[in-house]
Amino acid sequence: MNDLRADQVSVAFAGLKALSRVDLAVAPGRIVGLIGPNGAGKTTLVNVLTGFQAATEGAVLMEGQSLAGLKPHEVRRRGIARTFQGGRLFRDLTVIDNLEVTGVGLGQSRAASIAEAEAMLDWIGIAHLAGRIAGALPYTDERRVAIGRALIGRPRFLLLDEPAAGMSAQEAADLSALIRRIAGEMGCGVLLIEHNVGLVLGLCDHIVVLDSGAVIETGPPEVIRASEKVRHAYMGSAADIDLPVLEVEA
Ligand SMILES: Nc1ncnc2c1ncn2[C@@H]1O[C@H](COP(=O)(O)OP(=O)(O)OP(=O)(O)O)[C@@H](O)[C@H]1O
Ligand SMILES: [Mg+2]
């Protein structure tokens, strides 16, 4: 009961069923993977879990309490943080200011926000970026800053929407190590959305596969790797290119 969960969540957009009775749970300190082809409903589910999108049916619960009707900033204050597909930093602010204003927005004093922002950049290993303008960063650094900003206020759950998109193998490996530390050292429950299936299989002990808004498979990496349903779902999709990774021991 100390988890974050979607319980039979459905979302309909004017005739399109983006999610159909989806169940998913993330426990503190665990990393759950959410995969599926383009348009499967992954971001929509993250939007529902973070108050950006109301569920048409079903419930979202954190530690047994419903989050229905809460606005995104209220969900954030409860301890559920996210990153966005494609960053969304405050582009004109420096890196440290991006983190600091987030702390202030969460109700911290300016001094406490600065202290936490500095400690967070240090913890992630990007203290050297503190004074850089966020909008001018290479996107791999931008992603790490976005994760740092999401971790301000020590959320209990972190939802990452394609954090490794466009990264090299080495950058993705570094990101994997960071995500492991977020779960292991902070005890944060992580939901990881990724098209890089190899990264997900290497990092997650439980994976949920969506296709056309429905859960088509769940289980540990070995079940996902062997699943004909998963293989079939990825056929002909834009993520086809990641398919060989399914064979690789991550
Ligand atoms: N606000 C919206 N209004 C109408 N349709 C939407 C809206 N948001 C998403 N959709 C549709 O819902 C479906 C699921 O979209 P979603 O963005 O959740 O998929 P995704 O799995 O995140 O895809 P990707 O891997 O491309 O990011 C798609 O068909 C999409 O076009
Ligand atoms: Mg998406």
Side-chain angles (χ1 to χ4, degrees):
M1 263 321 209
N2 59 352
D3 57 7
L4 171 65
R5 63 174 56 227
D7 183 8
Q8 294 284 292
V9 165
S10 296
V11 170
F13 295 118
L16 173 87
K17 204 106 193 240
L19 293 175
S20 304
R21 297 180 163 275
V22 171
D23 288 326
L24 178 145
V26 186
R30 306 301 287 268
I31 308 170
V32 173
L34 179 62
I35 64 172
N38 289 115
K42 305 179 299 293
T43 298
T44 302
L45 185 58
V46 168
N47 287 342
V48 171
L49 289 167
T50 51
F52 285 82
Q53 170 69 51
T56 313
E57 288 171 274
V60 174
L61 304 159
M62 188 182 84
E63 297 167 354
Q65 291 204 312
S66 170
L67 302 177
L70 294 184
K71 295 193 164 49
H73 72 274
E74 294 169 326
V75 174
R76 179 68 166 88
R77 281 192 178 218
R78 296 266 183 119
I80 305 170
R82 70 176 293 181
T83 62
F84 292 88
Q85 221 168 333
R88 283 213 210 171
L89 295 177
F90 304 118
R91 298 184 61 80
D92 297 334
L93 298 185
T94 61
V95 166
I96 189 92
D97 286 353
N98 262 272
L99 274 64
E100 188 212 322
V101 299
T102 300
V104 171
L106 288 168
Q108 296 176 6
S109 72
R110 184 138 193 274
S113 297
I114 293 170
E116 189 185 5
E118 284 173 346
M120 186 61 70
L121 292 179
D122 205 38
W123 188 81
I124 293 176
I126 52 173
H128 60 286
L129 299 177
R132 301 272 295 276
I133 297 294
L137 292 175
Y139 65 85
T140 50
D141 286 337
E142 193 183 5
R143 301 278 170 69
R144 292 192 293 170
V145 174
I147 291 171
R149 189 175 66 170
L151 290 171
I152 292 293
R154 293 300 186 105
R156 276 177 277 186
F157 298 95
L158 175 64
L159 285 48
L160 300 170
D161 200 349
E162 298 196 26
M167 286 189 177
S168 69
Q170 184 56 53
E171 289 162 346
D174 291 346
L175 179 74
S176 288
L178 174 62
I179 294 170
R180 262 205 190 93
R181 289 176 61 217
I182 291 167
E185 293 176 29
M186 289 188 173
C188 197
V190 178
L191 181 67
L192 174 65
I193 296 182
E194 254 307 319
H195 276 299
N196 183 338
V197 177
L199 186 142
V200 172
L201 295 179
L203 207 47
C204 302
D205 34 36
H206 184 77
I207 295 142
V208 174
V209 188
L210 278 181
D211 188 25
S212 302
V215 175
I216 58 160
E217 193 73 89
T218 63
E222 55 274 21
V223 168
I224 304 304
R225 212 176 257 125
S227 169
E228 272 307 314
K229 281 185 248 172
V230 174
R231 187 164 295 275
H232 188 257
Y234 273 93
M235 295 267 179
S237 81
D240 223 11
I241 194 160
D242 285 336
L243 256 185
V245 182
L246 280 167
E247 314 287 1
V248 174
E249 205 54 54

